Amino acid sequence: MGPRILVTGITSAAGRAVAAQLEARGLPYLGSDARADTRQAGEAPAVAVRLLPATNPDMVLDLRRVVDREAINVIIPTLTVELPVLAAARAGFAQDVRIIVADPAAVALANDHLFTTWALQAAGIPVPRFAVPGDLAAAPASLAGLSGPVVVKPRVFKGSHGVHLLAGTDSVSWKNMPAGQLVQEFIPGADYVCLVFGTPARNAMAPVAVVLEKTRTPYGRAGSDEVSRRVPANQAGDVRKLGLAAVRTLGLAGPVQVQIRRRTDGTPVVLGVCATLGENSTWAPEMLDAVLATFMLPAFNPASFRRCPAVPADALG
């Protein structure tokens, strides 16, 4: 039996991109979403299943019913808000259902920009200088490391939404800043997204890494995630290596988008990580190929995309 695929967040840009790639391969799929379908006619197939939002405690129960009813054996999440829930709930699905999401601990790190930055910095991975508004309000002297333009963004990933570029920090009232924000120095150089399909060291399948260069547009503006080109494999090798290092450091498996920019001296630094198969995967069909390989190769990364095997009885004493 071939893969029976469910793509979540089908009304999102990422969901539509994944659906288009599956259609191009002639693979049937079912789309689901918790939001109203506001797309124009002809953009993508209509939503087949309406699910409860990930913030609803019964979302997993709702999803399980769909998976059982439709005999789904591959779930491709495209919404970051779903990842912590699905990572923690894998045991609630049948043994042969692949949920393309990393382990819960890795997802928790990647789901929060502050936790991600802490983990990468501790491992020696280059990141922008950073702080949280509460620390800046309590210790204004710490602004010395954040001179010049800064970026303020939600700690929980929301794409370019809610991301603001401030020309300076002199007139900012940090104590009145909303909770849950991260402040980073602005990195002015070339802008990339490194698409990585992470695999654990014990796995024989080599990780996939593709570098895309983005257009130079201001933070928070329409088109800020627009890709201008796929970088040839013999270029931007330092960006590719940094993307792979970030994914390995965080322990992520499966599709990951690593946002990277260069400092004025050319040094690449990691701005953030998003552990989904996103809209940019259109530029890198290898990413979806790797996802599909998790179904075609049953032994692939069983600890991440299938339920952990049962503990042998003799191991329990």
Side-chain angles (χ1 to χ4, degrees), residues 128-132 136 140-151 166-170 174 182-186:
R129 288 185 287 272
F130 67 99
V132 294
L136 295 175
S142 60
L143 281 172
L146 287 171
S147 58
V150 297
V151 175
L166 306 180
T169 59
D170 293 341
W174 298 110
L182 180 68
V183 184
Q184 287 180 330
E185 67 168 316
F186 175 67

Coordinates of all heavy atoms in Angstrom, one line a residue, residues 128-132 136 140-151 166-170 174 182-186:
P128 N 23.0 36.4 16.4 CA 23.1 37.8 16.7 C 23.2 38.1 18.2 O 22.7 37.2 19.0 CB 21.8 38.4 16.1 CG 21.3 37.3 15.2 CD 21.8 36.0 15.8
R129 N 23.7 39.2 18.6 CA 23.6 39.6 20.0 C 22.1 39.8 20.3 O 21.3 40.3 19.5 CB 24.4 40.9 20.3 CG 25.9 40.7 20.3 CD 26.6 42.0 20.6 NE 26.5 42.9 19.6 CZ 27.4 43.0 18.5 NH1 28.4 42.2 18.5 NH2 27.3 43.9 17.6
F130 N 21.7 39.4 21.6 CA 20.3 39.4 21.8 C 20.0 39.7 23.3 O 20.9 39.6 24.1 CB 19.7 38.0 21.5 CG 20.2 36.9 22.3 CD1 19.5 36.4 23.4 CD2 21.4 36.3 22.1 CE1 19.9 35.4 24.2 CE2 21.9 35.3 22.9 CZ 21.2 34.8 24.0
A131 N 18.7 40.0 23.6 CA 18.3 40.2 25.0 C 16.8 40.1 25.0 O 16.1 40.0 23.9 CB 18.7 41.6 25.4
V132 N 16.2 40.1 26.2 CA 14.7 40.2 26.3 C 14.4 41.5 26.9 O 15.2 42.1 27.6 CB 14.2 39.0 27.2 CG1 14.4 37.7 26.5 CG2 14.8 39.0 28.5
L136 N 16.6 44.3 29.5 CA 17.0 45.7 29.0 C 16.4 46.8 29.9 O 17.1 47.8 30.2 CB 16.6 45.9 27.6 CG 17.2 45.0 26.6 CD1 16.7 45.2 25.2 CD2 18.8 45.2 26.6
P140 N 19.8 48.9 31.8 CA 20.0 49.6 30.5 C 21.5 49.6 30.0 O 21.7 49.7 28.8 CB 19.7 51.1 31.0 CG 18.8 50.9 32.1 CD 19.3 49.7 32.9
A141 N 22.4 49.3 30.9 CA 23.8 49.2 30.4 C 24.0 48.1 29.4 O 25.0 48.1 28.6 CB 24.8 49.1 31.6
S142 N 23.1 47.1 29.5 CA 23.3 45.9 28.6 C 23.0 46.3 27.1 O 23.3 45.6 26.2 CB 22.3 44.8 29.0 OG 21.0 45.2 29.0
L143 N 22.4 47.5 26.9 CA 22.2 48.0 25.6 C 23.5 48.3 24.8 O 23.5 48.4 23.6 CB 21.4 49.3 25.6 CG 19.9 49.1 25.8 CD1 19.2 50.5 26.0 CD2 19.2 48.4 24.6
A144 N 24.6 48.3 25.5 CA 25.9 48.6 24.8 C 26.2 47.5 23.8 O 26.8 47.8 22.7 CB 27.0 48.6 25.9
G145 N 25.7 46.3 24.0 CA 26.0 45.3 23.1 C 24.9 45.3 21.9 O 25.0 44.4 21.0
L146 N 23.9 46.1 22.0 CA 22.9 46.2 21.0 C 22.8 47.6 20.4 O 21.7 48.1 20.1 CB 21.5 45.8 21.6 CG 21.3 44.4 22.0 CD1 20.1 44.2 22.8 CD2 21.3 43.5 20.7
S147 N 23.9 48.2 20.2 CA 23.9 49.5 19.6 C 23.5 49.4 18.1 O 23.8 48.4 17.4 CB 25.3 50.2 19.7 OG 26.3 49.3 19.0
G148 N 22.9 50.5 17.6 CA 22.4 50.5 16.2 C 21.1 49.8 16.1 O 20.3 49.6 17.1
P149 N 20.6 49.5 14.8 CA 19.3 49.0 14.6 C 19.1 47.6 15.3 O 20.1 46.8 15.4 CB 19.3 48.8 13.1 CG 20.3 49.7 12.6 CD 21.4 49.7 13.6
V150 N 17.9 47.4 15.8 CA 17.6 46.1 16.4 C 16.3 45.6 15.8 O 15.5 46.3 15.3 CB 17.5 46.2 17.9 CG1 18.8 46.6 18.6 CG2 16.3 47.1 18.3
V151 N 16.1 44.3 15.9 CA 14.9 43.6 15.5 C 14.2 43.1 16.7 O 14.8 42.5 17.6 CB 15.2 42.4 14.6 CG1 14.0 41.6 14.2 CG2 15.9 42.9 13.3
L166 N 13.8 48.3 14.4 CA 13.8 49.6 15.1 C 15.2 50.3 14.7 O 16.2 49.6 14.8 CB 13.7 49.5 16.6 CG 12.5 48.8 17.1 CD1 12.5 48.7 18.6 CD2 11.2 49.4 16.6
A167 N 15.2 51.6 14.3 CA 16.4 52.2 13.9 C 17.4 52.4 15.1 O 18.6 52.4 14.8 CB 16.0 53.6 13.3
G168 N 16.9 52.5 16.3 CA 17.7 52.6 17.4 C 16.9 52.2 18.7 O 15.7 51.9 18.6
T169 N 17.6 52.3 19.8 CA 17.0 51.9 21.1 C 16.8 53.0 22.1 O 16.2 52.8 23.2 CB 17.8 50.8 21.8 OG1 19.1 51.3 22.0 CG2 17.9 49.6 20.9
D170 N 17.2 54.2 21.7 CA 17.2 55.4 22.7 C 15.8 55.7 23.2 O 15.6 56.0 24.3 CB 17.8 56.6 22.0 CG 19.3 56.4 21.8 OD1 19.9 55.5 22.4 OD2 19.8 57.2 20.9
W174 N 11.4 49.8 27.2 CA 11.4 48.4 27.3 C 10.5 47.8 28.4 O 10.0 46.7 28.2 CB 12.9 47.9 27.6 CG 13.8 48.3 26.6 CD1 14.8 49.2 26.6 CD2 13.9 47.8 25.2 NE1 15.5 49.3 25.4 CE2 14.9 48.4 24.6 CE3 13.2 46.8 24.5 CZ2 15.3 48.2 23.2 CZ3 13.5 46.6 23.2 CH2 14.5 47.2 22.6
L182 N 11.6 38.9 21.8 CA 13.1 38.8 21.8 C 13.7 40.0 21.0 O 13.1 40.4 19.9 CB 13.5 37.5 21.1 CG 15.0 37.2 21.0 CD1 15.6 37.0 22.4 CD2 15.3 36.0 20.1
V183 N 14.7 40.5 21.5 CA 15.4 41.6 20.8 C 16.7 41.1 20.3 O 17.5 40.5 21.0 CB 15.7 42.8 21.8 CG1 16.3 44.0 21.1 CG2 14.4 43.2 22.5
Q184 N 17.0 41.4 19.0 CA 18.2 40.9 18.4 C 18.9 42.1 17.6 O 18.2 43.0 17.1 CB 18.0 39.8 17.3 CG 17.6 38.5 17.9 CD 17.4 37.5 16.8 OE1 17.0 37.8 15.7 NE2 17.7 36.2 17.0
E185 N 20.2 42.1 17.6 CA 20.9 43.1 16.8 C 20.5 42.8 15.3 O 20.3 41.7 14.9 CB 22.4 43.0 16.9 CG 23.0 41.8 16.4 CD 24.5 41.8 16.3 OE1 25.0 42.8 15.8 OE2 25.2 40.8 16.7
F186 N 20.4 43.9 14.5 CA 20.1 43.8 13.1 C 21.3 43.3 12.4 O 22.4 44.0 12.5 CB 19.6 45.1 12.6 CG 19.3 45.0 11.1 CD1 18.4 44.2 10.5 CD2 20.1 45.8 10.2 CE1 18.1 44.2 9.1 CE2 19.9 45.8 8.8 CZ 18.9 45.0 8.3

